[in-house]
Amino acid sequence: MVAGVDGVGGVAGVFCGVRVPEGLAARVPAEERGGGRDDVRLLVSRGTEVSHHAFRELAGLLRAGDVLVVNTSATLPAAVDGRVEAAAGSGGGERLVVHFSTRGDDRRWAVELRSPLETGATLPRRGGPAGTVMRLAGGGGLVLEEPVGPGGERLWWARVFGGDVAALLQRYGRPIRYGYTERDQPLAAYQTVFALPSADGGGSAEMPSAGRPFTAAMVAELVSRGVQFAPLTLHTGVASAEAHEPPYPERFEVPAATAWLVNAARAAGGRIVAVGTTAVRALESAAGPDGVVREAAGWTGLVVTPERGVRVVDGLLTGLHEPQASHLLMLEAVAGRAALRRGYAEALRHRYLWHEFGDVHLLLPEQTGKRCSL
């Protein structure tokens, strides 16, 4: 179904009336569909020129001197069963699933409350009110204090009591799962080959999924061909899979070595290709108006839009996003509206698979990348 691809509208101003057919949702990981992690398809857009490949052909599509910027954040088992604490004598409270999204500097957590389904998936539910007490597995609990954003109803800041959150997640948590997936998967299915444990127990509520198809063998092949890898970290919060909200501030770190490598590669004419929208957000947060990347760490609230443009990133390897997802603003900033329209029309026409276990899209420039205005 490609009708409406040429319309203008939606969050990114790219699609209007486009619907991804339900049958194009990747319901299980690639290795359960009969192959390995890297057994997914790769759609390549060079401007409005589109070609179709296997992901294993990636090394032949990049050049020696190119840099792949990867997110090393590990995925947390961020979904925990709980129950609303009921008033005395009123019986049991409402059963809910708590999605732990982001840890604040004040030790509070941004959380999302979801209504469980018999299938194991969940439905969105309005958060609040302030003062709501949730009892969690293991005897601990949390108290909702205030919405994360002005007028927000989905994510709330919560104070956790009765135990350490990292230990709670490791013992009672499971990966966040949405209704388009077929069944629960082990945490290992949500870890990328680049994932590293965090010293403070931090991580991502949802997998930085663009890196999922990479294998150790593929990384070795890319390195042998002169493609370099630049690691950074951005701990992703809970995506607004139904609400399509802009991203909230997230914790990130761009090491000095990565900043040096990216700057050196750009000076030598190499292309900077971000693996995932999270890598774009972190790297662009560390880039000054002069386009130079500097060591940086902390929180980023940067939203990359076509108006802002990109300062450092030349290309992007990413999954396929819903037509109303705010991520499409970033893709348009990197590749341009015409390239995005054409690429998504081709993805629908050739029945590429969507979501975190699906196929991937490589956006490359026709020439030197699109930079933001200084």
Side-chain angles (χ1 to χ4, degrees), residues 28-63:
V28 295
E31 54 270 34
E32 294 186 19
R33 300 195 295 265
R37 278 192 175 222
D38 55 355
D39 192 18
V40 296
R41 289 190 290 171
L42 175 64
L43 177 73
V44 178
S45 294
R46 295 181 181 88
T48 56
E49 178 188 343
V50 174
S51 58
H52 304 276
H53 305 267
F55 183 72
R56 295 188 181 107
E57 298 174 47
L58 178 64
L61 298 166
L62 299 176
R63 304 190 301 238

Side-chain angles (χ1 to χ4, degrees), residues 51-109:
S51 58
H52 304 276
H53 305 267
F55 183 72
R56 295 188 181 107
E57 298 174 47
L58 178 64
L61 298 166
L62 299 176
R63 304 190 301 238
D66 287 344
V67 174
L68 289 173
V69 181
V70 298
N71 187 358
T72 63
S73 181
T75 307
L76 298 173
V80 178
D81 292 327
R83 190 180 292 273
V84 177
E85 188 173 81
S90 63
E94 179 186 5
R95 289 178 55 247
L96 294 175
V97 176
V98 180
H99 288 176
F100 283 82
S101 179
T102 305
R103 186 185 61 187
D105 291 334
D106 58 1
R107 302 187 68 81
R108 294 190 300 175
W109 277 78

